[in-house]
PDB file of all heavy atoms in Angstrom:
ATOM      1  N   GLU A 176      94.149 106.950  75.958  1.00  0.00           N
ATOM      2  CA  GLU A 176      95.359 107.413  75.277  1.00  0.00           C
ATOM      3  C   GLU A 176      96.614 107.094  76.078  1.00  0.00           C
ATOM      4  O   GLU A 176      97.648 106.698  75.520  1.00  0.00           O
ATOM      5  CB  GLU A 176      95.253 108.918  75.017  1.00  0.00           C
ATOM      6  CG  GLU A 176      94.154 109.298  74.034  1.00  0.00           C
ATOM      7  CD  GLU A 176      94.020 110.807  73.885  1.00  0.00           C
ATOM      8  OE1 GLU A 176      94.707 111.537  74.634  1.00  0.00           O
ATOM      9  OE2 GLU A 176      93.219 111.260  73.035  1.00  0.00           O
ATOM     10  N   ASN A 177      96.540 107.238  77.396  1.00  0.00           N
ATOM     11  CA  ASN A 177      97.696 106.915  78.236  1.00  0.00           C
ATOM     12  C   ASN A 177      98.039 105.427  78.169  1.00  0.00           C
ATOM     13  O   ASN A 177      99.215 105.045  78.102  1.00  0.00           O
ATOM     14  CB  ASN A 177      97.425 107.318  79.689  1.00  0.00           C
ATOM     15  CG  ASN A 177      97.481 108.823  79.893  1.00  0.00           C
ATOM     16  OD1 ASN A 177      98.002 109.560  79.057  1.00  0.00           O
ATOM     17  ND2 ASN A 177      96.937 109.296  81.000  1.00  0.00           N
ATOM     18  N   TYR A 178      97.020 104.588  78.178  1.00  0.00           N
ATOM     19  CA  TYR A 178      97.277 103.152  78.149  1.00  0.00           C
ATOM     20  C   TYR A 178      97.796 102.699  76.791  1.00  0.00           C
ATOM     21  O   TYR A 178      98.566 101.735  76.698  1.00  0.00           O
ATOM     22  CB  TYR A 178      96.010 102.391  78.535  1.00  0.00           C
ATOM     23  CG  TYR A 178      95.615 102.605  79.985  1.00  0.00           C
ATOM     24  CD1 TYR A 178      94.316 102.430  80.423  1.00  0.00           C
ATOM     25  CD2 TYR A 178      96.568 102.998  80.923  1.00  0.00           C
ATOM     26  CE1 TYR A 178      93.963 102.631  81.747  1.00  0.00           C
ATOM     27  CE2 TYR A 178      96.229 103.217  82.244  1.00  0.00           C
ATOM     28  CZ  TYR A 178      94.929 103.027  82.650  1.00  0.00           C
ATOM     29  OH  TYR A 178      94.600 103.231  83.964  1.00  0.00           O
ATOM     30  N   LYS A 179      97.384 103.396  75.756  1.00  0.00           N
ATOM     31  CA  LYS A 179      97.945 103.085  74.441  1.00  0.00           C
ATOM     32  C   LYS A 179      99.428 103.443  74.396  1.00  0.00           C
ATOM     33  O   LYS A 179     100.225 102.730  73.769  1.00  0.00           O
ATOM     34  CB  LYS A 179      97.170 103.839  73.357  1.00  0.00           C
ATOM     35  CG  LYS A 179      95.758 103.302  73.127  1.00  0.00           C
ATOM     36  CD  LYS A 179      95.029 104.109  72.065  1.00  0.00           C
ATOM     37  CE  LYS A 179      93.616 103.574  71.851  1.00  0.00           C
ATOM     38  NZ  LYS A 179      92.868 104.376  70.849  1.00  0.00           N
ATOM     39  N   GLN A 180      99.807 104.536  75.056  1.00  0.00           N
ATOM     40  CA  GLN A 180     101.217 104.897  75.129  1.00  0.00           C
ATOM     41  C   GLN A 180     102.006 103.884  75.953  1.00  0.00           C
ATOM     42  O   GLN A 180     103.129 103.520  75.592  1.00  0.00           O
ATOM     43  CB  GLN A 180     101.364 106.294  75.721  1.00  0.00           C
ATOM     44  CG  GLN A 180     102.819 106.792  75.731  1.00  0.00           C
ATOM     45  CD  GLN A 180     102.947 108.203  76.254  1.00  0.00           C
ATOM     46  OE1 GLN A 180     101.956 108.822  76.622  1.00  0.00           O
ATOM     47  NE2 GLN A 180     104.164 108.716  76.285  1.00  0.00           N
ATOM     48  N   ILE A 181     101.415 103.425  77.057  1.00  0.00           N
ATOM     49  CA  ILE A 181     102.074 102.383  77.855  1.00  0.00           C
ATOM     50  C   ILE A 181     102.266 101.121  77.028  1.00  0.00           C
ATOM     51  O   ILE A 181     103.342 100.496  77.042  1.00  0.00           O
ATOM     52  CB  ILE A 181     101.247 102.085  79.123  1.00  0.00           C
ATOM     53  CG1 ILE A 181     101.236 103.300  80.059  1.00  0.00           C
ATOM     54  CG2 ILE A 181     101.802 100.863  79.856  1.00  0.00           C
ATOM     55  CD1 ILE A 181     100.366 103.117  81.291  1.00  0.00           C
ATOM     56  N   LEU A 182     101.229 100.737  76.286  1.00  0.00           N
ATOM     57  CA  LEU A 182     101.315  99.544  75.445  1.00  0.00           C
ATOM     58  C   LEU A 182     102.376  99.705  74.368  1.00  0.00           C
ATOM     59  O   LEU A 182     103.130  98.770  74.065  1.00  0.00           O
ATOM     60  CB  LEU A 182      99.943  99.258  74.818  1.00  0.00           C
ATOM     61  CG  LEU A 182      99.862  98.035  73.906  1.00  0.00           C
ATOM     62  CD1 LEU A 182     100.206  96.763  74.671  1.00  0.00           C
ATOM     63  CD2 LEU A 182      98.478  97.929  73.276  1.00  0.00           C
ATOM     64  N   GLN A 183     102.468 100.889  73.775  1.00  0.00           N
ATOM     65  CA  GLN A 183     103.449 101.133  72.725  1.00  0.00           C
ATOM     66  C   GLN A 183     104.877 100.999  73.253  1.00  0.00           C
ATOM     67  O   GLN A 183     105.730 100.347  72.635  1.00  0.00           O
ATOM     68  CB  GLN A 183     103.237 102.532  72.130  1.00  0.00           C
ATOM     69  CG  GLN A 183     104.276 102.909  71.075  1.00  0.00           C
ATOM     70  CD  GLN A 183     104.197 104.368  70.679  1.00  0.00           C
ATOM     71  OE1 GLN A 183     103.293 105.086  71.106  1.00  0.00           O
ATOM     72  NE2 GLN A 183     105.132 104.820  69.861  1.00  0.00           N
ATOM     73  N   ILE A 184     105.142 101.600  74.421  1.00  0.00           N
ATOM     74  CA  ILE A 184     106.504 101.566  74.967  1.00  0.00           C
ATOM     75  C   ILE A 184     106.880 100.157  75.401  1.00  0.00           C
ATOM     76  O   ILE A 184     107.978  99.669  75.113  1.00  0.00           O
ATOM     77  CB  ILE A 184     106.618 102.557  76.137  1.00  0.00           C
ATOM     78  CG1 ILE A 184     106.464 103.986  75.626  1.00  0.00           C
ATOM     79  CG2 ILE A 184     107.951 102.399  76.867  1.00  0.00           C
ATOM     80  CD1 ILE A 184     106.462 105.037  76.721  1.00  0.00           C
ATOM     81  N   THR A 185     105.990  99.473  76.110  1.00  0.00           N
ATOM     82  CA  THR A 185     106.298  98.115  76.563  1.00  0.00           C
ATOM     83  C   THR A 185     106.438  97.147  75.392  1.00  0.00           C
ATOM     84  O   THR A 185     107.287  96.247  75.415  1.00  0.00           O
ATOM     85  CB  THR A 185     105.201  97.619  77.514  1.00  0.00           C
ATOM     86  OG1 THR A 185     103.909  97.729  76.882  1.00  0.00           O
ATOM     87  CG2 THR A 185     105.187  98.438  78.793  1.00  0.00           C
ATOM     88  N   LYS A 186     105.637  97.348  74.357  1.00  0.00           N
ATOM     89  CA  LYS A 186     105.739  96.482  73.188  1.00  0.00           C
ATOM     90  C   LYS A 186     107.063  96.702  72.462  1.00  0.00           C
ATOM     91  O   LYS A 186     107.710  95.748  71.999  1.00  0.00           O
ATOM     92  CB  LYS A 186     104.560  96.748  72.243  1.00  0.00           C
ATOM     93  CG  LYS A 186     104.496  95.801  71.051  1.00  0.00           C
ATOM     94  CD  LYS A 186     103.262  96.084  70.216  1.00  0.00           C
ATOM     95  CE  LYS A 186     103.192  95.135  69.018  1.00  0.00           C
ATOM     96  NZ  LYS A 186     101.999  95.396  68.175  1.00  0.00           N
ATOM     97  N   GLU A 187     107.493  97.966  72.371  1.00  0.00           N
ATOM     98  CA  GLU A 187     108.761  98.270  71.709  1.00  0.00           C
ATOM     99  C   GLU A 187     109.936  97.679  72.488  1.00  0.00           C
ATOM    100  O   GLU A 187     110.891  97.159  71.898  1.00  0.00           O
ATOM    101  CB  GLU A 187     108.927  99.787  71.570  1.00  0.00           C
ATOM    102  CG  GLU A 187     110.161 100.198  70.768  1.00  0.00           C
ATOM    103  CD  GLU A 187     110.205 101.688  70.509  1.00  0.00           C
ATOM    104  OE1 GLU A 187     109.161 102.341  70.720  1.00  0.00           O
ATOM    105  OE2 GLU A 187     111.260 102.194  70.103  1.00  0.00           O
ATOM    106  N   LEU A 188     109.873  97.725  73.824  1.00  0.00           N
ATOM    107  CA  LEU A 188     110.936  97.132  74.632  1.00  0.00           C
ATOM    108  C   LEU A 188     110.963  95.609  74.469  1.00  0.00           C
ATOM    109  O   LEU A 188     112.040  95.008  74.358  1.00  0.00           O
ATOM    110  CB  LEU A 188     110.742  97.508  76.103  1.00  0.00           C
ATOM    111  CG  LEU A 188     110.960  98.973  76.473  1.00  0.00           C
ATOM    112  CD1 LEU A 188     110.584  99.210  77.933  1.00  0.00           C
ATOM    113  CD2 LEU A 188     112.408  99.395  76.220  1.00  0.00           C
ATOM    114  N   SER A 189     109.808  94.986  74.453  1.00  0.00           N
ATOM    115  CA  SER A 189     109.750  93.526  74.325  1.00  0.00           C
ATOM    116  C   SER A 189     110.239  93.070  72.954  1.00  0.00           C
ATOM    117  O   SER A 189     110.980  92.078  72.846  1.00  0.00           O
ATOM    118  CB  SER A 189     108.314  93.037  74.565  1.00  0.00           C
ATOM    119  OG  SER A 189     107.875  93.373  75.872  1.00  0.00           O
ATOM    120  N   GLU A 190     109.827  93.790  71.911  1.00  0.00           N
ATOM    121  CA  GLU A 190     110.274  93.417  70.567  1.00  0.00           C
ATOM    122  C   GLU A 190     111.771  93.621  70.396  1.00  0.00           C
ATOM    123  O   GLU A 190     112.416  92.919  69.591  1.00  0.00           O
ATOM    124  CB  GLU A 190     109.506  94.235  69.528  1.00  0.00           C
ATOM    125  CG  GLU A 190     108.031  93.866  69.438  1.00  0.00           C
ATOM    126  CD  GLU A 190     107.285  94.730  68.450  1.00  0.00           C
ATOM    127  OE1 GLU A 190     107.878  95.739  67.976  1.00  0.00           O
ATOM    128  OE2 GLU A 190     106.113  94.425  68.140  1.00  0.00           O
TER     129      GLU A 190
END
Side-chain angles (χ1 to χ4, degrees):
E176 294 176 354
N177 286 344
Y178 293 157
K179 289 179 181 178
Q180 184 177 0
I181 294 176
L182 180 61
Q183 177 190 354
I184 294 176
T185 55
K186 186 177 180 181
E187 186 173 346
L188 291 174
S189 299
E190 291 177 350

